[in-house]
Amino acid sequence: MTTDSSTTETGGLLPLLADRDPDAPLAWRAGSPVSTRQYLADVARFAPTLPAQGPAVNLCVDRYAFAVSLGAAMVRGHASLLPPDARPDTLARLVETGGPNLFALTDDPKLQTPGMHRVLIEDRSSLEGDTGAVVPQVDGAMHAVSLLTSGSTGVPQPHAKTWRTLVGDVAVAVERLCRVLGRPTLEGLTLVATVPVQHSYGLESSALLAMLGGAAFESSRPFFPADVAQTLASVPRPRALVTTPFHLKTLLLSGIALPPVDLILSATAPLSPQLAQQAEQAMGAVLLEIYGSTESGQVATRRTTDSEIWETFGEIRVHAEPSADGGPERFIFQGDFMPEPTPMADVLELLDERRFRLFGRANDLIHVAGRRSSLAHLNFHLNSIPGVDDGAFWLPDEVADGVVRPVAFVVAPTLGAGEIIAALRQRLEAVFVPRRVVQVKAFPREGTGKLTVRALREFALAQLAEDDTPVQMVHAVPADHPVFAGHFPGQPLLPGALVLAEVMEAIHRVPALTARLGANPTLAAAKFLAPVRPGSSLSIELHPEPGAARGVRFDVRCDGVVAVTGRWTAVQDSA
């Protein structure tokens, strides 16, 4: 394979592809290899057809079409903008901020790009033409890509990367992967990825790991478990699965027989040791987790079944420094390919300048009744319960008695709320055990499996507004409650009015039930079936009613025996 420059780095030039056999596969499409030589020919044919000015918005779903578009854009001198999706509102915001020369690259003839000139990437590999293996040289300082993430406002936030940064990013990853696999190079390794290539992790660990690291990639993006298994089987070994904890758990829960895999890469969220071990056993692979961010790129890894400790790549170092505003300390990564020191939005425990433990995102920390934890920690334990297919904790805006109470949302068809709460009591401090568990069919996750704060909040509020899941709360009756002195001497019992007051207090602790009943609910019915004695343990069960009535039935159990039952409604009725 030759280059169009006498050196690879003179004048800051870096090759579009790492040195490799031009006839070896760079990609696989539907079980057929596409050679490096063919890729270079496709880039050479396509680059002159692009507009003279850019930048380009790369919307290609097929990984090979994406790689051709990326290479052609750089040869033409254009940066590529990589949005998280191709929804109309996302593209409209890009049009507003991208300038008058913005154009779109897509492999979908049906995709409309209003406000942007559209260039369709067609399969040109059957066309005749020069199939020489000349590797273009790219200025290392060139703005190669901008990874676009959506902030809390939904406006795409660009994170620009130079070609030198991307080349260095992949180089340190190749060194680590070769060490883990016990191989001198990644030549012959084929990557099958379930994550979109426009995401920083998907870009680094599929398209770029092949282009710059010597591996090959499968061009599709399989999503359903059967498709993942079929795609893995369609490419030769050694092969790697590039995925996320959410996708990996779905794949393993499916029960589908999986072909052997040599390497599993996982990122976007911490993986539980149990799931990592299950994945390694099911596929006979080494599983490596990758830690990083869109801003920093990939900076560390860990072998999850061996240790909870993360180790940075190459010469990357991490240190802590006080926050300028007096808040929690920040953790700064720097070195190797990173153009400048980059803070992480996570809470770490540093063992030394290259090793650390990860506790979760800084904005993920929560305080309940004076105790501190993180939603990531709670979610870890929730998803470790056998029978929970997916789950997430959410902290409402409203508080009861000055204390916020977490709510757990789960996809767990075979488990009841009580079983999940009982399991969490074995795993969490009591203050973090949810009083409410809501069964859902699925979460509004992104293509990477991420569940954003904004999406979860909107989803949670919508689910709580319609939820009919029973709520259970426990209350201990103090033996020295002053009411027992006069009610009644010798045979003390808790007055019915106070029991009903405890029920109403329990209702007020659930925002959705408070909204359902309104500010002045009506006691529609109440039956007192057993006395409540000093020191008793009351279990208050609230049952939201479906249909038009939408009242709340309640049962109060005293040491396991139903003591009071009844119903509250928003308006007086005849029930």
Side-chain angles (χ1 to χ4, degrees), residues 184-241:
T185 70
L186 297 184
E187 181 182 356
L189 179 70
T190 303
L191 309 159
V192 173
T194 65
V195 290
V197 72
Q198 282 81 5
H199 185 271
S200 58
Y201 167 49
L203 174 68
E204 294 163 341
S205 297
S206 62
L208 292 185
L209 195 56
M211 294 170 62
L212 301 172
F217 60 81
E218 208 284 328
S219 67
S220 67
R221 183 193 156 199
F223 180 79
F224 296 107
D227 295 332
V228 174
Q230 183 179 5
T231 304
L232 285 169
S234 73
V235 299
R237 294 186 69 181
R239 52 194 169 215
L241 176 63

Side-chain angles (χ1 to χ4, degrees), residues 338-350:
M338 303 177 70
E340 59 186 15
T342 304
M344 289 291 192
D346 290 306
V347 178
L348 311 179
E349 178 191 355
L350 302 185

Side-chain angles (χ1 to χ4, degrees), residues 456-479:
L456 177 58
R457 184 177 188 278
E458 292 175 353
F459 176 78
L461 292 174
Q463 291 293 322
L464 291 175
E466 298 297 327
D467 181 47
D468 297 324
T469 305
V471 179
Q472 183 175 10
M473 300 184 185
V474 177
H475 174 73
V477 179

Side-chain angles (χ1 to χ4, degrees), residues 283-294:
M283 289 180 267
V286 173
L287 187 147
L288 207 63
E289 279 192 89
I290 296 175
Y291 173 75
S293 69
T294 303

